[in-house]
Amino acid sequence: MAGKTAFGVDVGGSGIKGAPVDLDTGGLLEDRFKILTPQPATPQAVVGVIAELLDHFKLGPDVPVGVSFPAPILGGVVAWMANLDQSWAGVDLVEAVRRGTGRRATAVNDADAAGYAEVAFGAAKDHPGSVAVMTLGTGIGVALITAGKLWPNAELGHLEIDGQDAETWAAASAKEREGLSYPRWARRLQRYLSEFDRLLAPDLIVIGGGISRKHDKFLPLLDLRPQIVPAALRNTAGIVGAAALAWQEAHPKG
Ligand code: BGC
């Protein structure tokens, strides 16, 4: 693999996906490969799947690897865990990947990876102002980016509103679990996003996650001050953002 290439892995609750990424375009160099998330998704089992993904693509030793993970990552360590196996809390993800694959990876929160990808290549490309990229899925992930710089691990999907963690009632999983129609779910999003705007006042909100494919069913129902648009990268954002951040870590000047 030549050119500006890195490998991105996206760890999610149902699947663990990977692909090599062309960082000049943000496109995948090969089809992504997905392996179902092992249950229970313990550190050992998940790292085993990451090793399988790397083997599948026969990566050269110098290709940087980025891992997008659904938790806050402080200095490579999983600070705490909302929706994946609780045994991850406190685990050094970078060290676990090194032991399981022999490689030094860059570990990053999944929403941060998606946010970085949207700003580098997608719906917020080159946006000069303040951008919040949200992934609506099992949980709510939030990336905050100002003038292209990421404020990592924002964790604002857990804003407490009316005494309850917002992601438990406003994530896409709540819509599915409670069988909510789009209009009923949109009322919850309206509540969450208005509070988010009141506290953070972003210029632009980008909505990602699988459900963003159906954005025409709920974005027009929202009445918000900031501009709000669907994500452009959809299901590759985690892979692309993790790869881009890994490349950046490996080449801090270029
Ligand atoms: C986690 C975040 C993550 C988000 C989306 C939340 O429950 O706390 O770290 O970004 O889900 O996966």
Side-chain angles (χ1 to χ4, degrees):
M1 269 175 248
K4 215 167 148 186
T5 299
F7 190 82
V9 177
D10 186 8
V11 177
S14 55
I16 302 177
K17 299 154 258 176
V21 180
D22 174 349
L23 293 166
D24 287 317
T25 63
L28 303 189
L29 287 161
E30 289 180 52
D31 286 345
R32 67 189 184 135
F33 189 64
K34 172 173 170 175
I35 298 176
L36 292 183
T37 306
Q39 300 301 341
T42 58
Q44 208 189 355
V46 169
V47 170
V49 171
I50 294 175
E52 257 184 78
L53 282 175
L54 298 180
D55 284 350
H56 173 85
F57 285 95
K58 304 194 173 24
L59 275 201
D62 298 331
V63 179
V65 173
V67 178
S68 144
F69 194 82
I73 309 286
L74 304 185
V77 176
V78 176
W80 49 269
M81 197 68 247
N83 293 315
L84 209 64
D85 199 79
Q86 285 302 316
S87 61
W88 274 102
V91 169
D92 187 329
L93 176 54
V94 170
E95 178 55 19
V97 172
R98 197 193 56 71
R99 256 188 272 121
T101 70
R103 282 173 181 273
R104 162 145 189 112
T106 298
V108 57
N109 169 261
D110 58 356
D112 286 344
Y116 194 76
E118 290 295 334
V119 169
F121 305 107
K125 189 164 165 43
D126 299 330
H127 194 288
S130 53
V131 181
V133 178
M134 301 188 174
T135 58
L136 304 177
T138 308
I140 297 181
V142 176
L144 298 180
I145 299 126
T146 306
K149 289 259 181 283
L150 185 66
W151 174 304
N153 299 306
E155 290 300 324
L156 290 163
H158 299 286
L159 268 188
E160 199 172 304
I161 300 177
D162 300 333
Q164 277 187 310
D165 183 335
E167 77 166 23
T168 62
W169 50 267
S173 59
K175 176 183 183 305
E176 201 174 311
R177 193 174 54 242
E178 299 179 42
L180 302 175
S181 63
Y182 278 101
R184 284 197 61 197
W185 181 58
R187 283 208 286 279
R188 295 187 181 188
L189 277 184
Q190 174 73 35
R191 175 87 179 94
Y192 171 65
L193 293 171
S194 323
E195 182 64 4
F196 189 94
D197 178 35
R198 193 173 76 85
L199 298 174
L200 286 134
D203 297 321
L204 173 68
I205 298 178
V206 178
I207 298 290
I211 202 153
S212 67
R213 245 172 279 138
K214 300 272 172 65
H215 60 89
D216 53 325
K217 295 201 188 312
F218 61 95
L219 291 190
L221 306 178
L222 302 174
D223 180 16
L224 293 158
R225 184 201 53 84
Q227 190 192 356
I228 180 160
V229 297
L233 281 106
R234 309 284 156 77
N235 57 11
T236 63
I239 290 176
V240 172
L245 286 159
W247 171 272
Q248 207 184 60
E249 192 171 281
H251 306 87
K253 293 202 179 90

